[in-house]
């Protein structure tokens, strides 16, 4: 009896890939909804509909909207920290983080529709995601004071985004004027 190519892969390998695709669809849909409507105006039903994932499947992946948002934040921090890790210089890393934060459509949606949520995001300096971002910045700066300054600069862009040109100029100035 001949086996098909799919049967040579363990069943869990294809299930894992499907699981990841479903979660990616959910997170992408959530990000788009936040960009368009803000966080307070979306529901799990909206997320299910936009992601084209059945509600039961959505709830199998995430218990509630807060869990979806937490997963989205973790995914976004992982994405932007990866950009910083592959940047050539500390200035390049800070510029890439700045552009990612300033240009994020979901953050723009939060600024427009849910400023109180933005304020809440900015006060959690002990949150594991904040600390992960700070670790990546520290790896570039090798200085606690420069990391603190860079983190404040980046957090300011959540509220007041920069253009890519401003990001480049300010990142270079930050590196030049601190003890890297």
């Amino acid at each position: 009896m001949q086996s098909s190519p799919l049967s040579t892969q363990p069943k869990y390998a294809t299930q894992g890939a499907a699981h990841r695709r479903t979660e990616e669809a959910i997170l992408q849909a959530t990000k788009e909804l936040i960009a368009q409507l803000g966080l307070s105006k979306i529901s799990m039903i909206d997320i299910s509909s936009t992601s084209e994932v059945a509600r039961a499947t959505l709830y199998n992946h995430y218990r509630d909207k807060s869990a979806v948002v937490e997963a989205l934040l973790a995914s976004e921090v992982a994405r932007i920290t990866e950009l910083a890790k592959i940047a050539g210089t500390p200035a390049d890393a800070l510029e890439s983080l700045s552009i990612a934060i300033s240009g994020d459509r979901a953050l723009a949606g939060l600024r427009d529709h849910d400023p109180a949520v933005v304020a809440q995001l900015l006060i959690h300096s002990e949150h594991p995601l904040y600390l992960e971002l700070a670790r990546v910045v520290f790896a570039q700066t090798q200085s606690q004071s420069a990391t603190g300054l860079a983190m404040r600069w980046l957090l300011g862009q959540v509220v007041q985004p920069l253009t890519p040109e401003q990001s480049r100029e300010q990142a270079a100035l930050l590196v030049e004027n601190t003890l890297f």
Side-chain angles (χ1 to χ4, degrees):
M1 175 176 214
Q2 289 224 328
S3 64
S4 70
L6 287 178
S7 66
T8 61
Q9 291 182 346
K11 184 177 180 180
Y12 62 83
T14 55
Q15 289 173 341
H19 183 83
R20 282 188 299 281
R21 282 192 306 274
T22 300
E23 287 189 347
E24 288 171 13
I26 292 167
L27 298 181
Q28 187 58 41
T30 303
K31 187 172 181 173
E32 279 305 309
L33 285 167
I34 292 170
Q36 293 170 9
L37 306 170
L39 184 60
S40 62
K41 291 187 178 147
I42 64 172
S43 67
M44 290 292 274
I45 294 170
D46 298 327
I47 294 168
S48 171
S49 176
T50 303
S51 65
E52 298 179 355
V53 170
R55 274 191 264 172
T57 302
L58 175 60
Y59 281 104
N60 282 334
H61 286 265
Y62 301 103
R63 73 183 174 283
D64 57 20
K65 186 169 83 169
S66 294
V68 177
V69 171
E70 187 68 29
L72 177 59
L73 287 171
S75 172
E76 288 298 299
V77 168
R79 182 183 66 78
I80 68 172
T81 57
E82 196 55 40
L83 292 173
K85 288 176 184 177
I86 62 173
T89 66
D92 293 339
L94 293 176
E95 177 186 352
S96 68
L97 289 169
S98 174
I99 289 170
I101 291 168
S102 289
D104 191 271
R105 288 180 20 104
L107 286 175
L110 286 175
R111 280 190 303 274
D112 293 344
H113 303 289
D114 299 302
V117 172
V118 173
Q120 283 298 108
L121 286 172
L122 296 176
I123 63 171
H124 292 291
S125 62
E126 296 302 316
H127 192 282
L129 295 174
Y130 177 95
L131 297 174
E132 175 59 24
L133 183 58
R135 276 191 285 280
V136 169
V137 171
F138 181 80
Q140 292 291 329
T141 66
Q142 296 297 307
S143 161
Q144 287 184 350
S145 61
T147 298
L149 184 59
M151 289 299 291
R152 286 178 193 76
W153 175 67
L154 291 169
L155 288 176
Q157 293 170 53
V158 171
V159 177
Q160 189 168 6
L162 301 176
T163 66
E165 295 77 25
Q166 292 169 322
S167 293
R168 186 179 318 66
E169 291 169 5
Q170 291 183 19
L173 284 171
L174 188 61
V175 169
E176 284 176 25
N177 295 313
T178 56
L179 301 174
F180 281 73

